[in-house]
Amino acid sequence: MPTNFSITRRTLGLGGAASLVGAQASAQIQSAQVPTPNFRVENGATLRVLRPVRFVQPDEEVFRANCARFAQATGVQVRVDFVGWEDINQQTAVTANTGAGPDVIIGFNEAPHVYADKVVEVTDVAEYLGAKYGGWKRLAERYGKRHGSNNWLALPFGASGGPLVWRKSAVNEAGFQSIPDDHASYLRLCQALRRINKPAGFALGNAVGDGNGFANWLVWSFGGRLVNDDGSVGINSPQTIQALEYLRELYATFVPGTLAWGDISNNRAYASNELFLTANGVSLYFALKNDPATRAIADDTEHSLLPKGVAETSPMAGLTLNAMVFRHSRFPNASKALLAFLMESEQYDPWLQANLGYWSQPLNAYNSSAVWQSDPKVSIFRDVMDTAFYNGYSGPITEGSAAANADYVMVQMCAAVASGQATPQAAAREAERRATRFFRRR
């Protein structure tokens, strides 16, 4: 017989790595008095979870510890496998197409929308958590809900922001006190950094986080978009052409090699004093801060939002962890119970704090987490999921927008112009052609 399990039935002491953040870690998180769901956890349930590998070591340690707490509370054993960022989409596709594999996959961004007919809706869990923890943030609702409905396909678990990371001494030496918000001044800053041999650099390779982040910012900051509001392909526009023409000038200021950069490349260049302005998650700052050999670089490092350009706010979309429960799972109730358990404050806030700001919360109550007061240079990451921008902006999130992003349509358009292989006009036409394949009516 299945057993009833209330997801807040027990509070167990954190052990191992999770204790690093302290026993009172979640004390400051405010929550509403909301009836706790009972999930009829299936008899004999065991779970396998697949998720992207950590960039900050405590991410994995505390995540595993929290899953162990769930096992202790419920008797449901949980196996967690971590895979490379470039591999998670492929393994999600294999799982969905074969109907076998992990019960839960914590993938990226729009993945649940690609496999909407293969996942279990988690509206009950999402509504409970939203009511208890102050509501879901804008980006979480965008990635979590099926377009045009209040039905949740997945539970957004957190997002990694990629603001500008820069050396204050270099920017000052280049004649600037801070990072400009307009395109013309930002270009002048990058040109000045190049002249003093302290250049900027941004990924133009097929990098899940950094490559997509830069390409999206470039196009959005000029008012362009991959998808129009009505769902039609909108990439071949005057705004995109203008962005790509700007890129030709901006790319000339970059440190060599950015066309081949993956998600770790700018970290290495920045830590080696080869790069002085880039965009990255907080992991770079903390890696520098925690190594005596690079502590001086961390002390000289600042974070800023990417320039707004013509947008009303800085056009950034956080790389979002999005948790799916697959229909092939024999234990969907146990899967939902696990996800709800992991997002309760007793588990989630220690995990959030252990990540040092690398992942930012999807629920408003966690704005008050102590991590956001732990270091002034980290506070900028608190509001990553408040953005109006998302992959596939500004149309509905569909299988097409997800496929175009996974195929690096925007990134490769930018790379073609930066490398001189295509004119802005030709690159925009090719991006339009490629994107249209994914948006054809089926």
Side-chain angles (χ1 to χ4, degrees), residues 343-393:
M343 298 198 75
E344 294 280 8
S345 60
E346 293 86 355
Q347 288 72 240
Y348 191 84
D349 193 44
W351 178 79
L352 191 67
Q353 293 195 47
N355 275 284
L356 308 170
Y358 188 78
W359 297 112
S360 177
Q361 69 281 347
L363 290 157
N364 288 313
Y366 293 109
N367 285 357
S368 60
S369 174
V371 69
W372 306 123
Q373 288 78 48
S374 63
D375 186 326
K377 295 182 180 182
V378 170
S379 60
I380 191 174
F381 293 90
R382 189 192 70 174
D383 302 323
V384 167
M385 297 197 78
D386 290 322
T387 182
F389 292 90
Y390 54 94
N391 288 340
Y393 173 86

Side-chain angles (χ1 to χ4, degrees), residues 245-261:
E245 289 173 343
Y246 178 81
L247 174 60
R248 288 198 290 195
E249 292 187 88
L250 188 65
Y251 175 70
T253 72
F254 286 6
V255 65
T258 59
L259 288 165
W261 274 8

Side-chain angles (χ1 to χ4, degrees), residues 85-381:
W85 286 28
E86 290 76 13
D87 299 326
I88 192 73
N89 287 338
Q90 180 181 2
Q91 295 203 31
T92 302
V94 170
T95 296
N97 293 331
T98 62
D103 303 271
V104 175
I105 294 183
I106 304 179
F108 285 130
N109 301 329
E110 328 90 322
H113 300 264
V114 177
Y115 307 109
D117 61 338
K118 304 293 179 65
V119 300
V120 176
E121 288 193 359
V122 289
T123 306
D124 51 350
V125 183
E127 289 182 346
Y128 160 70
L129 291 170
K132 184 171 183 178
Y133 293 108
W136 292 89
K137 290 180 175 288
R138 195 170 184 176
L139 186 61
E141 291 200 344
R142 177 70 69 174
Y143 281 144
K145 290 181 178 179
R146 188 190 297 269
H147 178 70
S149 80
N150 285 316
N151 299 328
W152 290 75
L153 297 172
L155 290 179
F157 207 80
S160 179
L164 292 178
V165 185
W166 48 282
R167 295 283 295 274
K168 186 177 188 302
S169 61
V171 168
N172 292 167
E173 184 182 347
F176 291 77
Q177 293 304 306
S178 59
I179 305 298
D181 237 359
D182 64 284
H183 288 120
S185 299
Y186 184 62
L187 175 61
R188 286 196 296 271
L189 165 61
C190 292
Q191 290 170 335
L193 288 170
R194 182 71 180 182
R195 283 195 298 271
I196 63 174
N197 200 30
K198 295 180 178 179
F202 299 86
L204 286 164
N206 291 350
V208 174
D210 293 343
N212 284 312
F214 176 76
N216 285 333
W217 165 77
L218 178 73
V219 173
W220 294 339
S221 69
F222 278 88
R225 59 202 63 196
L226 175 66
V227 188
N228 296 318
D229 293 353
D230 63 3
S232 61
V233 176
I235 190 60
N236 189 6
S237 68
Q239 293 85 359
T240 298
I241 302 300
Q242 189 178 6
L244 294 174
E245 289 173 343
Y246 178 81
L247 174 60
R248 288 198 290 195
E249 292 187 88
L250 188 65
Y251 175 70
T253 72
F254 286 6
V255 65
T258 59
L259 288 165
W261 274 8
D263 277 306
I264 196 67
S265 304
N266 61 346
N267 300 56
R268 291 171 175 164
Y270 192 92
S272 301
N273 282 313
E274 300 168 11
L275 178 67
F276 294 78
L277 169 65
T278 190
N280 209 279
V282 76
S283 58
L284 172 57
Y285 168 67
F286 273 103
L288 297 168
K289 181 178 178 180
N290 293 329
D291 185 345
T294 55
R295 179 61 189 259
I297 299 177
D299 292 342
D300 190 35
T301 291
E302 301 288 345
H303 294 109
S304 297
L305 295 177
L306 291 163
K308 290 190 298 184
V310 303
E312 292 184 3
T313 60
S314 178
M316 300 166 58
L319 180 68
T320 301
L321 293 174
N322 217 356
M324 302 162 272
V325 177
F326 279 87
R327 289 187 179 181
H328 67 252
S329 172
R330 293 186 296 129
F331 311 116
N333 291 342
S335 297
K336 290 198 290 185
L338 171 65
L339 292 177
F341 180 87
L342 292 175
M343 298 198 75
E344 294 280 8
S345 60
E346 293 86 355
Q347 288 72 240
Y348 191 84
D349 193 44
W351 178 79
L352 191 67
Q353 293 195 47
N355 275 284
L356 308 170
Y358 188 78
W359 297 112
S360 177
Q361 69 281 347
L363 290 157
N364 288 313
Y366 293 109
N367 285 357
S368 60
S369 174
V371 69
W372 306 123
Q373 288 78 48
S374 63
D375 186 326
K377 295 182 180 182
V378 170
S379 60
I380 191 174
F381 293 90

